């Protein structure tokens, strides 16, 4: 479980740049992970993601389809999807919140979204799946509940997460796979502190702050992260799960968060919404019908170099599957380019200036 190395090479306030090595694969943070739920990004082949260093794949979905028997034939997910960079797998905890299910002390009874059948996932099965997927980074199964649930339910969720984390930590045996703990606790600082101490006591390879981007306000999120991140060790990665909008990431990078994931850039693209710095615009608007300019003037992605807003708007209206490819590619590259510039700004001690330029420019 000791396959990850981290070295902080620059700080600007609490914002930081890390050099990270996982199984001999290197990357720098802050970093955004595109979500390849079933081992693929919707409408976008991996070979277009030349600058992407990590993708996130989903334990719940891959367990159901294609199933572990298929993945094992390929000795893991890397070979199955032909991706030789870093893969992080989430644990199924998010699906425990988002899909009809029943929780108990031992695990989660899930509904199979494909055929309606039921199956039970506990921390052992979640680890078995992720170890078979042979991802570089695995996540513990956690108890994720609505952030506005009653205090007593939040207490139960962090206690359950602690038990499941202990089980996962003791069971996990893949020496080529890092294992990350997850801090829960809703909006309650004392519960966030207790959950963080629970995770730290188990000495994971990295730590995620979970239970966010599920309905809280940006201020509430920032307050939770500001408090929680101070308890997490500086020599390990800090991950906020499920967040990927530019403003949201910049606010948390300022607090010392390193990595993020979200379907947001790809989902925006499928609705015709184009990321431009810290904002986005709707390409469906009629003002772009004859616009000969690229999506974003100074973007060097393949789409902006080669195509106009007018053409891409035409595809969106008449050839949507083609449009989704182009727009998803732009949105992911635009997101990655901004985080590349974030790293440069931290190295030059200009993060706050850059942040203001992106959000207010």
């Amino acid at each position: 479980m000791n396959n990850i190395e981290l070295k902080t090479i620059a700080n600007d306030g609490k914002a930081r740049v890390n050099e990270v090595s996982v199984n001999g694969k290197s990357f720098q943070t802050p970093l955004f992970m595109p979500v390849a739920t079933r081992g693929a990004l919707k409408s976008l082949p991996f070979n277009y993601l030349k600058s992407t260093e990590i993708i996130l794949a989903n334990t719940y979905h891959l367990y159901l389809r294609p199933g572990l028997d298929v993945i094992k034939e390929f000795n893991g997910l890397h070979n199955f999807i032909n991706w030789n960079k870093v893969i992080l797998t989430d644990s199924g905890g998010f699906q425990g919140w988002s899909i009809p299910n029943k929780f108990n002390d031992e695990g989660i009874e899930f509904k199979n979204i494909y055929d309606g059948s039921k199956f039970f996932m506990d921390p052992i099965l979640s680890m078995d799946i992720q170890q078979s997927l042979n991802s570089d980074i695995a996540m513990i199964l956690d108890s994720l509940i609505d952030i506005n649930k009653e205090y007593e339910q939040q207490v139960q969720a962090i206690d359950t997460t602690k038990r499941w984390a202990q089980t996962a930590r003791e069971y996990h045996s893949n020496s080529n796979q890092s294992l990350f703990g997850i801090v829960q606790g809703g909006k309650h600082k004392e519960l966030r502190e207790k959950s963080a101490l629970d995770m730290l006591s188990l000495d994971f390879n990295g730590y995620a702050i979970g239970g966010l981007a599920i309905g809280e306000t940006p201020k509430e999120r920032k307050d939770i992260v500001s408090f929680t991140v101070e308890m997490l060790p500086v020599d390990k990665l800090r991950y906020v799960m499920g967040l990927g909008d530019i403003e949201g990431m910049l606010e948390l990078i300022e607090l010392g968060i390193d990595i993020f994931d979200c379907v947001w850039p790809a989902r925006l693209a499928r609705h015709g919404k184009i990321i431009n710095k810290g904002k986005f615009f709707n390409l469906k608007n009629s003002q772009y019908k004859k616009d000969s300019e690229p999506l974003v003037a100074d973007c060097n992605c393949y789409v902006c170099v080669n195509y106009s807003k007018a053409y891409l708007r035409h595809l969106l209206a008449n050839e949507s599957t083609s449009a989704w490819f182009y727009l998803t590619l732009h949105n992911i590259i635009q997101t990655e380019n901004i985080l590349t510039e974030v790293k440069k700004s931290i190295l030059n001690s200009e993060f706050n200036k850059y942040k203001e330029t992106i959000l207010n420019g």
Side-chain angles (χ1 to χ4, degrees), residues 7-11 15-19 28-30 343 346-347:
K7 179 182 179 182
T8 301
I9 60 172
N11 292 93
R16 62 188 200 161
V17 175
N18 300 309
E19 287 184 347
Q28 285 191 342
T29 67
K343 288 189 273 284
I346 295 171
L347 289 167

Side-chain angles (χ1 to χ4, degrees), residues 42-160:
K42 289 184 179 178
S43 76
L44 185 60
F46 287 133
N47 62 305
Y48 285 89
L49 299 179
K50 299 188 185 301
S51 60
T52 301
E53 300 296 340
I54 307 182
I55 58 171
L56 181 147
N58 183 268
T59 292
Y60 167 92
H61 287 284
L62 289 168
Y63 175 63
L64 297 178
R65 292 186 178 178
L68 295 189
D69 56 335
V70 175
I71 302 293
K72 287 177 180 178
E73 287 294 318
F74 291 81
N75 295 315
L77 190 59
H78 290 89
N79 292 333
F80 183 60
I81 67 175
N82 192 26
W83 175 262
N84 61 9
K85 299 180 186 179
V86 179
I87 297 175
L88 182 148
T89 46
D90 62 5
S91 64
F94 178 78
Q95 283 69 40
W97 172 78
S98 64
I99 297 172
N101 64 78
K102 294 180 181 179
F103 276 84
N104 64 36
D105 288 344
E106 304 303 319
I108 308 169
E109 182 185 87
F110 277 110
K111 180 179 180 179
N112 182 329
I113 62 167
Y114 301 109
D115 64 15
S117 63
K118 302 290 181 65
F119 73 97
F120 191 76
M121 183 182 289
D122 61 11
I124 298 294
L125 178 58
S126 179
M127 284 292 90
D128 278 336
I129 298 167
Q130 293 185 77
Q131 292 188 122
S132 295
L133 294 173
N134 202 25
S135 54
D136 300 282
I137 301 172
M139 306 299 299
I140 63 161
L141 183 66
D142 59 327
S143 178
L144 170 60
I145 64 173
D146 288 347
I147 198 162
N148 291 317
K149 288 285 189 181
E150 296 295 328
Y151 186 88
E152 292 75 14
Q153 292 172 286
Q154 300 291 348
V155 171
Q156 183 178 12
I158 66 168
D159 288 344
T160 299

Side-chain angles (χ1 to χ4, degrees), residues 5 8 21 34 80 124 130 155 170 197 274 281 283 295 309 314 321 343 351:
E5 297 178 3
T8 301
S21 176
F80 183 60
I124 298 294
Q130 293 185 77
V155 171
E170 292 173 354
L197 293 174
I274 310 304
F281 64 89
L283 188 62
L295 294 175
K309 290 191 188 79
H314 158 71
T321 53
K343 288 189 273 284
F351 173 74

Side-chain angles (χ1 to χ4, degrees), residues 7 15 35 37 112 160 171 176 178 234 276 296 301 306 334-335:
K7 179 182 179 182
V35 176
T37 299
N112 182 329
T160 299
Y171 182 77
N176 294 317
S178 288
V234 297
N276 179 8
V296 174
C301 80
N306 288 285
Q334 177 78 175
T335 299

Side-chain angles (χ1 to χ4, degrees), residues 249-316:
M249 289 192 292
L250 290 177
E251 293 290 354
L252 301 191
I253 288 169
E254 186 175 25
L255 302 176
I257 298 301
D258 303 311
I259 56 176
F260 306 88
D261 79 273
C262 195
V263 298
W264 193 75
R267 182 173 289 164
L268 279 183
R270 293 194 298 276
H271 289 86
K273 295 179 179 175
I274 310 304
I275 297 175
N276 179 8
K277 302 294 191 293
K279 301 178 176 63
F280 62 86
F281 64 89
N282 192 341
L283 188 62
K284 293 179 182 179
N285 289 346
S286 59
Q287 70 189 82
Y288 303 117
K289 185 175 182 178
K290 298 179 181 179
D291 194 326
S292 62
E293 295 299 313
L295 294 175
V296 174
D298 59 352
C299 181
N300 61 0
C301 80
Y302 171 82
V303 182
C304 289
V305 168
N306 288 285
Y307 301 105
S308 67
K309 290 191 188 79
Y311 175 65
L312 295 166
R313 183 181 181 278
H314 158 71
L315 292 183
L316 191 60

Side-chain angles (χ1 to χ4, degrees), residues 167-280:
T167 299
R169 182 71 174 84
E170 292 173 354
Y171 182 77
H172 184 263
S173 61
N174 187 335
S175 61
N176 294 317
Q177 187 179 64
S178 288
L179 184 61
F180 281 24
I182 304 175
V183 177
Q184 292 292 350
K187 299 177 184 178
H188 305 282
K189 289 183 177 180
E190 68 274 19
L191 297 186
R192 288 285 176 176
E193 180 176 12
K194 182 180 185 306
S195 185
L197 293 174
D198 289 342
M199 295 302 111
L200 291 171
S201 72
L202 295 170
D203 191 27
F204 288 106
N205 298 120
Y207 297 92
I209 303 176
L212 297 175
I214 58 170
E216 76 282 0
T217 68
K219 182 182 185 305
E220 288 171 336
R221 181 189 309 137
K222 191 170 182 178
D223 287 346
I224 292 165
V225 172
S226 178
F227 175 79
T228 307
V229 74
E230 292 298 318
M231 292 177 281
L232 302 182
V234 297
D235 61 343
K236 295 186 178 181
L237 283 172
R238 303 155 169 175
Y239 168 25
V240 166
M241 308 176 76
L243 184 73
D245 69 283
I246 302 302
E247 181 174 359
M249 289 192 292
L250 290 177
E251 293 290 354
L252 301 191
I253 288 169
E254 186 175 25
L255 302 176
I257 298 301
D258 303 311
I259 56 176
F260 306 88
D261 79 273
C262 195
V263 298
W264 193 75
R267 182 173 289 164
L268 279 183
R270 293 194 298 276
H271 289 86
K273 295 179 179 175
I274 310 304
I275 297 175
N276 179 8
K277 302 294 191 293
K279 301 178 176 63
F280 62 86

